[in-house]
Amino acid sequence: MTTESVEVRRGLPEGAAARVAELYWEAFGGKLGLALGPPEAGRRFIAGHLHADRAVTALSGGEGGSDGRVVGVAGYQLAGRGLIGGDAAAVRAAYGPVRGLYRVFLLALLERTPARGELVMDGIAVDPAERSRGIGGLLLREVEAIAVEQRCRRIRLDVVAENPRARELYERHGFRAVQVRRTPWLRDVLGFGGVTTMHKEVAAR
């Protein structure tokens, strides 16, 4: 497969929630495990609380105008809304009033709120079998186009220290590190010991 055979769309194709949840869990289950695990429960929660209007998807294999298979997804936060929803009440309803309360606390540690004029990336997940073929770059470019259309001045994202491959992707597409936070106390809890915040300035049309 080449990037020429991949179609990038805004939103989620009908019926793709479970597939998107699968990709997200594969990419981010390491840090979401304690908050939303076990894996089956986490994928089910994500699939049931997706905001389709905060997604960009990459599809491959569609013929004759039909939808292809989702091979990548990028989520973003804008105007108080991100790809994965579900408030504290939803978490407690899914996991129980006691265990859910602890999970709400863990999810709060991962929360990132956009500043005024800022689009925040919720992450990029690409099918492991389709990596190194430019899909992440296609998704990033479409997210940047959205930021420009929404008159944002920059895109912000956080990348964990344990994911140098993702950082390299962002750097190739013009993102620069602006802050590094060492969080060794989170290594045993969420699986990472440091976070790098990266920015990319964009020009509004």
Side-chain angles (χ1 to χ4, degrees):
M1 185 192 76
T2 65
T3 54
E4 287 77 13
S5 65
V6 176
E7 179 185 359
V8 174
R9 295 185 186 176
R10 298 182 185 184
L12 300 177
E14 185 175 353
R19 171 61 175 162
V20 168
E22 176 188 356
L23 290 175
Y24 243 69
W25 191 265
E26 192 283 328
F28 305 113
K31 69 178 183 179
L32 293 175
L34 282 179
L36 294 179
E40 182 179 350
R43 291 190 292 265
R44 183 169 58 248
F45 184 86
I46 292 171
H49 296 86
L50 290 171
H51 293 147
D53 62 341
R54 292 296 185 264
V56 175
T57 49
L59 298 97
S60 175
E63 297 181 0
S66 64
D67 286 343
R69 182 170 183 263
V70 176
V71 294
V73 59
Y76 61 93
Q77 293 187 47
L78 189 66
R81 186 179 176 90
L83 173 59
I84 301 176
D87 57 12
V91 174
R92 297 182 73 184
Y95 294 93
V98 177
R99 289 183 298 171
L101 187 62
Y102 174 66
R103 294 166 188 266
V104 168
F105 168 74
L106 293 178
L107 290 170
L109 295 176
L110 300 171
E111 189 65 31
R112 294 161 296 170
T113 302
R116 184 177 179 86
E118 186 177 68
L119 180 149
V120 172
M121 291 286 301
D122 271 340
I124 290 180
V126 176
D127 187 327
E130 309 293 355
R131 290 174 183 167
S132 301
R133 293 176 176 175
I135 294 173
L138 293 177
L139 293 168
L140 272 176
R141 284 193 286 273
E142 190 63 24
V143 170
E144 182 174 350
I146 292 170
V148 170
E149 291 171 13
Q150 295 296 319
R151 300 185 181 278
C152 295
R153 68 179 186 276
R154 74 182 177 203
I155 303 171
R156 174 167 63 92
L157 59 86
D158 289 334
V159 59
V160 299
E162 288 75 9
N163 195 355
R165 184 187 182 112
R167 177 167 175 167
E168 291 171 3
L169 169 67
Y170 299 135
E171 288 176 338
R172 287 199 304 272
H173 288 269
F175 286 83
R176 59 183 181 85
V178 297
Q179 183 182 22
V180 178
R181 300 187 303 281
R182 304 297 179 190
T183 55
W185 59 90
L186 291 179
R187 188 181 300 278
D188 293 336
V189 178
L190 296 175
F192 58 89
V195 177
T196 299
T197 297
M198 307 185 77
H199 287 171
K200 181 174 183 179
E201 307 302 320
V202 295
R205 291 173 180 168

